[in-house]
Amino acid sequence: MKDLQAIRGAELLRHMVAEGEHERQDFKYTISDARKIARSLSAFANHSGGRLLIGVKDNGVIAGVRNEEDIYVVEQAAERYCRPSVPIAFKAYRVDGTIRVIVAEIEPSPVRPVTVAEADGLLKAYYRVADENIAAHPLMVRAWQAASGAEPLGSGHYAMAAMFAAPGTRMDVRELALALHVSVGRVEDMVVALAAAGLLHFVYDGGRFLIEGAEPDVAI
């Protein structure tokens, strides 16, 4: 039975590796910088969760865990640098009998933003986009903070949301301000309220965050 479980575990691991790095998966050959790992944890927790495959190179080669301290560094990243701390579930997989890979599973956080205590003393939130950890837009952070205590929306908010009725409509804050003939600050407040209510979300186009319409109850 144990041999069968080991074979299935190795097959599952190879299947995960074959997916490559993506929105919910990152390869880590070795881990030495807890704060850097905390950014990955923040990005996964602020998005839809994800996993770190420790002992897998960037090119997908299953090399195995080099140092048992790697798990400790991940735990340190979650507890020391993440605010709030991020729960992590670890699972070990063996390949070819001797190569061991650790998979660290991160669930989406019920309370966002999950921030990282940076070296300069500031708290910064991250978000997962494709296979990258991106600094979350300040309006995203404000929307997350406002989501738990979102107030009823006024007619002006819905008028702005109506501008995104056509599928795929995207704008930045300055474009919205020009279209509505109001100040950038006013538009930012409205975007935060609409995003907190699930009527807008943020899309990263590779260089900047844009605002896009969303079905109600879609998470940011």
Side-chain angles (χ1 to χ4, degrees):
M1 179 63 72
K2 288 185 178 180
D3 289 342
L4 180 59
Q5 291 176 341
I7 292 171
R8 288 175 176 172
E11 290 175 349
L12 176 58
L13 177 65
R14 288 193 176 97
H15 177 75
M16 287 189 284
V17 171
E19 293 178 7
E21 293 183 306
H22 53 70
E23 195 172 80
R24 301 194 69 252
Q25 181 166 280
D26 203 1
F27 297 160
K28 296 295 179 186
Y29 176 41
T30 187
I31 293 176
S32 59
D33 188 334
R35 185 175 275 112
K36 184 176 180 179
I37 291 300
R39 295 178 189 129
S40 294
L41 303 182
S42 167
F44 284 137
N46 286 329
H47 197 268
S48 55
R51 59 185 176 237
L52 300 175
L53 273 59
I54 306 168
V56 179
K57 296 184 177 181
D58 289 343
N59 61 3
V61 172
I62 302 174
V65 175
R66 299 177 62 195
N67 192 335
E68 295 297 328
E69 290 295 309
D70 286 351
I71 296 176
Y72 168 75
V73 177
V74 175
E75 290 177 333
Q76 183 185 46
E79 297 172 7
R80 180 176 178 181
Y81 294 110
C82 290
R83 306 285 190 278
S85 62
V86 176
I88 302 175
F90 293 97
K91 189 169 184 179
Y93 293 85
R94 286 196 179 276
V95 179
D96 298 331
T98 57
I99 300 174
R100 193 162 74 105
V101 171
I102 302 296
V103 176
E105 292 276 357
I106 301 95
E107 295 293 326
S109 177
V111 178
R112 293 181 294 178
V114 172
T115 60
V116 176
E118 296 289 358
D120 58 9
L122 297 178
L123 297 177
K124 183 178 287 187
Y126 292 85
Y127 193 70
R128 189 75 175 173
V129 177
D131 60 351
E132 296 184 77
N133 303 321
I134 304 296
H137 192 284
L139 295 185
M140 294 178 72
V141 176
R142 285 178 56 188
W144 289 331
Q145 293 169 335
S148 59
E151 298 179 358
L153 300 177
S155 59
H157 293 91
Y158 286 105
M160 190 172 93
M163 297 180 67
F164 295 90
T169 301
R170 296 178 179 179
M171 295 185 188
D172 66 17
V173 169
R174 293 188 179 279
E175 290 169 343
L176 270 174
L178 289 172
L180 294 172
H181 305 290
V182 297
S183 69
V184 171
R186 175 60 177 156
V187 168
E188 288 180 344
D189 291 342
M190 295 173 73
V191 165
V192 168
L194 287 166
L199 296 176
L200 294 180
H201 61 189
F202 298 91
V203 178
Y204 189 72
D205 71 352
R208 60 177 180 164
F209 278 100
L210 299 175
I211 304 153
E212 181 179 69
E215 294 294 331
D217 299 324
V218 172
I220 300 169

